[in-house]
Amino acid sequence: MGENEASLPNTALQGKKMAYQKVNADQRAPGHSHYLDSDDLQATALDLEWDMEKELEEPGFEQFQLDRAENQNLENSETADLNLDSIQPATSPKGRFQRLQEESDYVTHYTRSAPKSKPCNFCCLLKIFCTAIILFIFGILIGYYAHKKCPSNATSSGKLDLQLYQEILKTIQAEDIKKSFRNLVQLYKSEDDMEISKKIKTQWTSLGLEDVQFVNYSVLLNLPGPSPSSVTLRSSGQCFHPNGQPCSQEARKHSSQDPLYSYAAYSAKGTLEAEVIDVSYGNADDLKRIKEMKNVTNQIALLKLGKLPLLYKLSLLEKAGFGGVLLYIDPCDLPKTANLSFMVSLNPGGDPSTPGYPSVDGNFRQNRSNLTPLLVQPISASLVAKLISLREDRASSGACTPLELPSNEKRIVNMQIQTVTEFKTITNVVGYLKGLTSPDRYIIVGSHHHTAYSFNSQEWASSTAIITAFIRALMLRVKRGWRPDRTIVFCSWGGTAFGNTGSYEWGEDFKKVLQRNLVAYVSLHSPVRGNSSLYSVTSPSLQQLVAEKNNFNCSRRGQCPETNISSVQMQDDANYFINHLGVPTVRFAYEDIKALEGPSFLSEALFPKHATKIEEMDPFFNLHETITKLLGEVILQIADGPILPFNALDIALEVQNSLKGDQPDTPQLLAPASRLRESAELFQSDEMRPANDPEERAPVRVRMLNDILQDMEKSFLVQHAPPGFYSTLSSMSSRNGSIWYSF
């Protein structure tokens, strides 16, 4: 009996289990996929039944179940063929719940985690949010201290302080410059400039300068003929060489080659016999007065060098009708040159056979053996004294009396000029120090080297020694990891004596790139011409920077003479970059006070190498060291400063200063000049704030501001300037305004 009673519950349990399994089997519609038999689907169905069971136990659910049953009958027409009797047990909430309790294996097999409560979800979200905030703050702290302790390369190289300037420049020593100078002077005997160019390239490469290369151009040069030119007095029949020596065979044997190279390159050649007419400095007023007194057609003008550009004065003489020119330097303007021959170039710049475009293979070449119809011959002051029959007592008197041909005397001479024209290869040496943050912005540092067949004195060796010393100091710092923000381009030009030919051709060759990217040009042409006064020539936008460096230098040395800064145009390789590109330019040089007090444009004359002894003027090369450090500071300021040190207000002031005078157009130009000054003052006070406040140096704003500063002086280029004058603001301000309205 007990066994039978015990077996009944088991038998009933097994029957209920089998009935439940039959209901599940009967609920499968025919044609269903075999995937419906999977355990996953069954688990999902049981989970749904568990949730429904909880809902059915809630009060008020009975009415909801009736409504839902009616809706299912209307909406689910696809399940109308199901056997409703087979799923009848499933409609009983109590029976379903009991079966889930009774089948322990069923419940154990299909276990489901209880749903999380809302407080648990809120706690988790709060934890995640707090963790994110802590990580964010921690990241900010790490970034701040990392930036403070390890600044970027751009920041470290972009803000050179005074101490870093001095660390770079203190390695420049006068003794090193002197040694380099002497090594270069020994190369004078070279027949062309290639040997000197190789020496310069080897030096720069050994110092670590990047990508040093030769840039060669085949250009048309006008060279001395096989015999010197001569001047013969018709009255006495005496023949003289340009330096005043007689033309006798014996004198020629004992003379040097100086008379051979005393000539005007690109002058017309031939013979002319005519009256000599003294035109003094050849300005417009002198010529107007002379033309009223005499017939000047096809006559020979006796012309002094200086005060105005030579090419401008020759253009006036050509228009007046002169046929020839005897050119000399008055001893009162430049002492110690009375017996010296000199050379001048009548080439405004570049290769005469390719005007306005580079002398590269494939370009058309014009046949231009001379650039003027005038026969031009430089002569010494001693020869002029013989032409005007100057008395010995007057020549040897203490007071300097300017040379002048007596107006009541007539002198007829025969001048003979011999030159030859040949194509020669000139070589430029170019090296780069690539910038770190703005490698597409260039600062050119230019010197020149000796060119064969010309006078170059020793000034080329002086400038080359200085640029080499600066490269040495700069590369020592570069090897320690520093670089300037902008690229510095070092150039040693060839063909300078024939019209800055090397720099012109290189500039024309890369004109498009330079117009867009060139920031400034720093000239090292003839850095030591005397030993009494430091003389600075600069574009208006750089005058403030140059004045600051001058004052700082004199305070260091304990000698502070009056600042001597000028914005007159330069007669050197900066010509192309100023005149055609409108690039700000600066040059430092030591001069004699006498030369500074004399007329300008005397530097157009090139004297023989023994005329200026560099070691006599600067025996210990201290002047060379000062020039190198001054230029070095300016170069570093321009190449590495975050904001270019150009001053817009100085440009406006230069415009106003150039309008001082009695020219007819001055009154109507004063009002625009005043408005320009007001705009410049506003620009300096507002737009230039990033120069003084590092917090306002947003990269985009700094780049835009530097582009504006870089292009300021280009806005003042003159379209059609007179011959010999630059097409820039400095040219207009450096000369008397009357020349612009003279003809």
Side-chain angles (χ1 to χ4, degrees):
M1 183 69 179
E3 293 179 1
N4 292 336
E5 292 177 352
S7 62
L8 286 176
N10 292 336
T11 304
L13 182 60
Q14 290 176 359
K16 292 179 181 180
K17 187 174 182 179
M18 290 176 65
Y20 183 82
Q21 291 175 352
K22 184 176 186 301
V23 170
N24 284 334
D26 292 340
Q27 284 180 338
R28 299 192 186 104
H32 277 204
S33 171
H34 65 280
Y35 292 105
L36 296 176
D37 295 330
S38 63
D39 293 339
D40 294 338
L41 189 57
Q42 292 179 10
T44 304
L46 293 176
D47 291 341
L48 181 60
E49 291 176 356
W50 175 270
D51 294 336
M52 291 177 64
E53 185 69 40
K54 292 178 62 178
E55 295 173 357
L56 292 173
E57 292 177 352
E58 295 176 359
F61 186 79
E62 289 79 6
Q63 182 64 35
F64 173 79
Q65 184 181 15
L66 293 176
D67 295 340
R68 181 171 179 80
E70 292 175 359
N71 292 335
Q72 287 181 347
N73 292 333
L74 294 175
E75 295 174 359
N76 300 331
S77 58
E78 294 181 1
T79 59
D81 56 335
L82 293 177
N83 189 350
L84 297 179
D85 295 334
S86 63
I87 62 173
Q88 188 67 26
T91 61
S92 173
K94 187 175 180 179
R96 182 182 302 170
F97 183 73
Q98 287 178 344
R99 282 194 296 269
L100 292 176
Q101 285 183 327
E102 293 169 349
E103 295 186 61
S104 58
D105 296 338
Y106 176 85
V107 177
T108 305
H109 183 70
Y110 296 102
T111 307
R112 180 173 183 251
S113 60
K116 297 181 180 179
S117 62
K118 291 183 179 180
C120 184
N121 291 336
F122 177 77
C123 292
C124 292
L125 291 175
L126 183 62
K127 290 180 180 179
I128 294 173
F129 179 76
C130 293
T131 304
I133 291 295
I134 293 172
L135 291 175
F136 178 75
I137 296 174
F138 189 64
I140 290 178
L141 293 175
I142 292 177
Y144 172 77
Y145 285 105
H147 180 76
K148 185 176 180 180
K149 294 180 179 180
C150 301
S152 62
N153 290 334
T155 303
S156 61
S157 66
K159 298 180 180 179
L160 271 180
D161 54 8
L162 182 60
Q163 182 179 359
L164 184 54
Y165 279 116
Q166 298 311 313
E167 287 181 1
I168 293 175
L169 300 175
K170 72 180 181 181
T171 58
I172 297 174
Q173 301 295 328
E175 190 62 32
D176 295 333
I177 301 175
K178 183 177 182 178
K179 185 183 301 183
S180 178
F181 172 83
R182 289 181 173 178
N183 291 336
L184 291 168
V185 169
Q186 294 176 358
L187 301 176
Y188 260 127
K189 298 181 180 179
S190 174
E191 292 297 328
D192 55 29
D193 63 350
M194 196 62 195
E195 183 179 349
I196 296 176
S197 301
K198 290 180 179 178
K199 177 72 173 179
I200 295 173
K201 180 182 178 182
T202 301
Q203 274 190 326
W204 291 4
T205 304
S206 64
L207 294 175
L209 200 62
E210 302 163 356
D211 194 23
V212 183
Q213 54 184 279
F214 293 139
V215 184
N216 298 324
Y217 298 98
S218 178
V219 300
L220 187 66
L221 300 183
N222 188 244
L223 305 174
S227 60
S229 300
S230 62
V231 178
T232 304
L233 298 176
R234 194 176 74 171
S235 58
S236 62
Q238 289 180 298
C239 175
F240 297 97
H241 289 310
N243 64 347
Q245 294 180 352
C247 296
S248 63
Q249 198 72 22
E250 183 178 353
R252 183 178 302 178
K253 290 180 181 178
H254 294 284
S255 67
S256 65
Q257 292 294 307
D258 294 348
L260 185 64
Y261 296 114
S262 180
Y263 77 111
Y266 304 102
S267 165
K269 59 184 178 180
T271 302
L272 175 64
E273 185 173 302
E275 180 184 356
V276 177
I277 299 176
D278 192 348
V279 297
S280 188
Y281 291 100
N283 58 36
D285 294 335
D286 291 338
L287 293 180
K288 184 178 180 179
R289 173 179 51 83
I290 292 170
K291 288 182 67 176
E292 293 175 352
M293 298 171 54
K294 294 183 178 182
N295 179 18
V296 299
T297 303
N298 228 22
Q299 303 301 320
I300 299 175
L302 184 63
L303 177 67
K304 292 182 182 181
L305 187 68
K307 290 192 175 181
L308 294 173
L310 176 60
L311 293 183
Y312 174 71
K313 296 193 287 187
L314 292 180
S315 68
L316 299 183
L317 294 174
E318 182 183 341
K319 290 179 180 179
F322 282 91
V325 178
L326 293 176
L327 182 67
Y328 73 102
I329 298 175
D330 196 305
C332 296
D333 294 336
L334 196 62
K336 301 179 182 180
T337 59
N339 298 317
L340 293 178
S341 304
F342 64 95
M343 169 194 171
V344 294
S345 175
L346 309 184
N347 181 11
D351 180 8
S353 68
T354 58
Y357 52 95
S359 296
V360 296
D361 294 338
N363 282 352
F364 173 74
R365 295 182 179 270
Q366 303 179 19
N367 184 14
R368 304 176 69 189
S369 58
N370 58 279
L371 300 179
T372 176
L374 297 174
L375 276 75
V376 183
Q377 177 59 54
I379 59 176
S380 64
S382 60
L383 178 55
V384 175
K386 294 176 182 179
L387 292 178
I388 64 178
S389 301
L390 184 66
R391 296 190 304 270
E392 292 294 333
D393 57 344
R394 182 181 178 185
S396 59
S397 62
C400 182
T401 304
L403 296 176
E404 184 178 1
L405 183 66
S407 57
N408 58 348
E409 296 183 10
K410 187 175 182 180
R411 299 284 189 274
I412 297 178
V413 301
N414 180 288
M415 57 185 300
Q416 183 179 10
I417 297 178
Q418 300 183 28
T419 58
V420 294
T421 304
E422 298 179 9
F423 281 97
K424 297 287 186 179
T425 299
I426 61 170
T427 303
N428 298 327
V429 185
V430 182
Y432 305 87
L433 175 57
K434 191 173 181 179
L436 183 64
T437 61
S438 299
D440 61 335
R441 293 294 182 262
Y442 310 132
I443 292 87
I444 295 180
V445 183
S447 65
H448 70 284
H449 53 263
H450 173 67
T451 302
Y453 316 108
S454 67
F455 288 157
N456 276 304
S457 183
Q458 295 180 350
E459 294 167 355
W460 72 270
S462 180
S463 65
T464 304
I466 285 178
I467 195 173
T468 302
F470 178 68
I471 292 173
R472 180 184 294 108
L474 201 62
M475 298 311 297
L476 288 176
R477 189 70 188 185
V478 170
K479 292 175 181 178
R480 296 169 57 184
W482 172 86
R483 276 184 181 272
D485 282 352
R486 302 171 186 92
T487 298
I488 304 178
V489 184
F490 296 94
C491 302
S492 181
W493 308 114
T496 299
F498 294 96
N500 306 313
T501 313
S503 57
Y504 251 83
E505 295 307 310
W506 189 81
E508 291 173 345
D509 201 2
F510 300 96
K511 182 176 182 179
K512 292 183 178 179
V513 176
L514 296 175
Q515 279 179 328
R516 184 175 61 253
N517 298 339
L518 183 57
V519 174
Y521 184 94
V522 180
S523 175
L524 285 168
H525 184 89
S526 304
V528 179
R529 288 175 168 266
N531 55 11
S532 57
S533 178
L534 179 62
Y535 181 61
S536 306
V537 184
T538 179
S539 300
S541 62
L542 280 171
Q543 286 185 2
Q544 181 176 342
L545 174 65
V546 171
E548 291 174 356
K549 298 306 176 185
N550 264 340
N551 295 335
F552 178 74
N553 175 70
C554 74
S555 63
R556 266 188 321 194
R557 297 165 58 90
Q559 302 174 357
C560 295
E562 183 180 354
T563 302
N564 197 344
I565 301 175
S566 173
S567 61
V568 300
Q569 64 187 59
M570 309 176 193
Q571 292 82 48
D572 59 32
D573 285 293
N575 186 317
Y576 181 83
F577 305 100
I578 302 173
N579 204 27
H580 294 268
L581 302 179
V583 175
T585 309
V586 60
R587 184 182 76 189
F588 289 97
Y590 272 98
E591 297 270 9
D592 286 326
I593 294 179
K594 182 64 177 178
L596 294 176
E597 294 174 349
S600 55
F601 292 97
L602 293 177
S603 60
E604 292 181 316
L606 300 176
F607 293 98
K609 60 184 179 182
H610 57 74
T612 53
K613 296 289 187 180
I614 298 296
E615 295 198 52
E616 292 179 3
M617 292 186 294
D618 188 19
F620 301 105
F621 280 74
N622 293 326
L623 302 182
H624 286 74
E625 180 181 334
T626 301
I627 291 287
T628 309
K629 291 183 176 180
L630 269 176
L631 282 172
E633 290 183 13
V634 172
I635 294 168
L636 290 172
Q637 184 87 20
I638 300 174
D640 202 67
I643 307 296
L644 291 174
F646 300 159
N647 194 303
L649 185 57
D650 285 342
I651 296 179
L653 294 175
E654 195 73 25
V655 171
Q656 287 189 320
N657 292 334
S658 67
L659 296 177
K660 294 179 179 179
D662 300 328
Q663 293 78 35
D665 292 341
T666 298
Q668 63 184 9
L669 295 176
L670 290 177
S674 178
R675 291 195 297 270
L676 174 64
R677 178 173 179 174
E678 293 175 358
S679 299
E681 290 175 347
L682 179 62
F683 178 83
Q684 288 293 128
S685 61
D686 186 26
E687 298 299 329
M688 290 297 291
R689 285 182 299 174
N692 303 317
D693 188 358
E695 295 183 358
E696 295 194 18
R697 292 175 187 170
V700 175
R701 182 177 182 183
V702 168
R703 180 74 175 199
M704 181 181 66
L705 177 59
N706 283 334
D707 288 345
I708 294 173
L709 294 170
Q710 176 182 324
D711 295 336
M712 280 193 306
E713 296 211 15
K714 296 178 183 178
S715 303
F716 297 91
L717 285 175
V718 179
Q719 293 298 323
H720 302 288
F725 282 98
Y726 284 1
S727 302
T728 58
L729 179 64
S730 60
S731 176
M732 291 187 289
S733 63
S734 63
R735 296 275 62 81
N736 189 320
S738 61
I739 64 171
W740 296 93
Y741 313 102
S742 56
F743 278 89

